[in-house]
Amino acid sequence: MKAALLTLALLSQAPKAPTPAPAGDVPPGAEAILESPAASSQTATATPARPNGWEGLTAEQRAALVAEDADAPAAARVLRMSERFINTPYVLSPLGEGSGVDPDPTFRLDAVDCLTFVEQSLALGLARSEADVGPLLDTLRYASSPSYEDRNHLMEAQWLPNNIRKGFLVDVTRRYAGEDAVPVTKTLTPLTWQSRSSLALGLPKERRPVGTYPLNMLPLERVLTHARSLPSGTILVVLREDLPLKATRVTHLGFVVQRKKRTYLRHASRGGYNRVVDEDLETFLARNARYAKWKVTGVSLFEVRRPAGASSGAVVRSP
């Protein structure tokens, strides 16, 4: 039933203006702690909003886009779908389970944040038909069952390792950074789950990950050295210092885009842009280097893959 609803949403969604959460009404989910706290203080410059590449399409046109060039390389298809999200307004935590703890829609083309932009671009790009989109999105967003408690809330402990295990992602940080890549970790302890931001996730005690989770990192000051070697479609994940009371050190992610001898980050930007943009990577990194309260330390890099069986539309379950 859920897959059918998502397919219906893809085929019949009418463009509409997103409704931001009222001040003080923070949506549930990791998106509330995923984004940079410094971004919210930037001046919004995205109005009036321009239409994205999904608006104005008929149901048949959207279905045809999903099915077009189904056997093309995964990264190329994902990048093509992500391009249609350019100018899509930024709305914090726009997706949920349609009911329960987070009753937001399970799929939408008119609003994204940095994480749901990547998730929906992946689902649309890896699908061979519109019938695959819903199951693929479920597989990406959840460890197993599509419930709030089973959602991949935390990047280091859940979203990244689960999607690597399922075959959607491969860590390529060392491939492109070489000797500049360094091993880092994110540690979650019982103390982490006493902080206000961690408790805001609303996870029951038995569903709160505890442990140390490894990552490879390209230090911030060395990113531009390797930027031109990164293929378009590579997922770039921003890392900050590992603070004990923060449940994550990942604060942003997007897609690398190579164009006209320049490298860009295609991402849903909160604050200054308030929409999906292709931002010059050098500009993006310079801004991140200025964050003093919670320092950005570097990035991790991931290649997009189409796992075996993805064309069937079947949900891959975590062990």
Side-chain angles (χ1 to χ4, degrees):
M1 176 63 70
K2 179 161 175 114
L5 290 174
L6 285 173
T7 300
L8 181 62
L10 175 65
L11 292 177
S12 62
Q13 179 186 25
K16 59 183 179 179
T19 303
D25 183 13
V26 179
E31 293 86 348
I33 61 171
L34 186 65
E35 293 282 0
S36 161
S40 61
S41 64
Q42 299 177 34
T43 302
T45 58
T47 54
R50 291 171 287 173
N52 68 16
W54 297 108
E55 293 188 39
L57 296 180
T58 66
E60 292 76 15
Q61 288 172 327
R62 288 193 291 267
L65 279 170
V66 175
E68 183 180 1
D69 294 331
D71 293 321
R77 277 181 52 89
V78 169
L79 207 63
R80 192 170 72 223
M81 294 300 175
S82 73
E83 186 174 16
R84 288 194 166 270
F85 282 102
I86 289 177
N87 293 322
T88 303
Y90 181 103
V91 171
L92 183 64
S93 189
L95 298 185
E97 287 70 48
S99 62
V101 176
D102 190 351
D104 284 332
T106 55
F107 184 86
R108 62 191 298 184
L109 298 172
D110 66 323
V112 292
D113 58 21
C114 73
L115 178 57
T116 58
F117 162 62
V118 169
E119 290 174 330
Q120 293 190 125
S121 296
L122 288 172
L124 288 160
L126 296 175
R128 295 184 183 275
S129 73
E130 42 83 16
D132 291 340
V133 176
L136 281 167
L137 189 57
D138 276 354
T139 307
L140 289 158
R141 283 177 56 79
Y142 301 95
S144 182
S145 62
S147 64
Y148 180 82
E149 292 78 10
D150 211 31
R151 194 195 299 177
N152 291 320
H153 291 285
L154 302 180
M155 295 296 288
E156 301 91 338
Q158 298 171 320
W159 198 90
L160 288 169
N162 280 341
N163 285 314
I164 289 172
R165 184 173 64 250
K166 294 175 183 181
F168 289 107
L169 302 177
V170 175
D171 186 340
V172 293
T173 310
R174 289 194 174 277
R175 181 192 303 176
Y176 295 111
E179 294 182 355
D180 283 337
V182 295
V184 297
T185 60
K186 171 60 197 171
T187 299
L188 298 172
T189 69
L191 179 64
T192 308
W193 292 104
Q194 296 178 27
S195 70
R196 181 178 179 182
S197 62
S198 301
L199 289 172
L201 287 175
L203 293 175
K205 188 174 182 179
E206 66 275 10
R207 303 303 296 270
R208 301 171 184 172
V210 173
T212 297
Y213 303 92
L215 285 169
N216 291 308
M217 183 184 76
L218 173 58
L220 188 67
E221 65 273 13
R222 300 297 295 167
V223 175
L224 285 180
T225 302
H226 301 275
R228 291 297 295 162
S229 69
L230 305 178
S232 290
T234 302
I235 294 178
L236 182 148
V237 173
V238 176
L239 301 176
R240 295 190 178 226
E241 292 177 308
D242 184 7
L243 301 182
L245 295 181
K246 296 285 189 181
T248 184
R249 60 186 296 181
V250 173
T251 57
H252 201 59
L253 72 165
F255 297 105
V256 172
V257 177
Q258 302 288 358
R259 187 171 65 245
K260 295 182 179 180
K261 298 183 179 181
R262 296 292 294 179
T263 305
Y264 298 85
L265 183 67
R266 180 171 295 163
H267 63 127
S269 175
R270 179 184 183 183
Y273 296 101
N274 281 339
R275 56 190 171 92
V276 177
V277 296
D278 281 356
E279 182 177 7
D280 186 274
L281 183 63
E282 185 172 1
T283 302
F284 174 82
L285 294 173
R287 184 172 68 255
N288 277 256
R290 293 194 294 268
Y291 297 153
K293 186 175 180 180
W294 188 12
K295 291 184 179 180
V296 174
T297 53
V299 306
S300 292
L301 305 165
F302 297 88
E303 180 180 275
V304 176
R305 296 278 183 90
R306 179 184 285 116
S311 63
S312 67
V315 175
V316 179
R317 300 298 183 185
S318 299

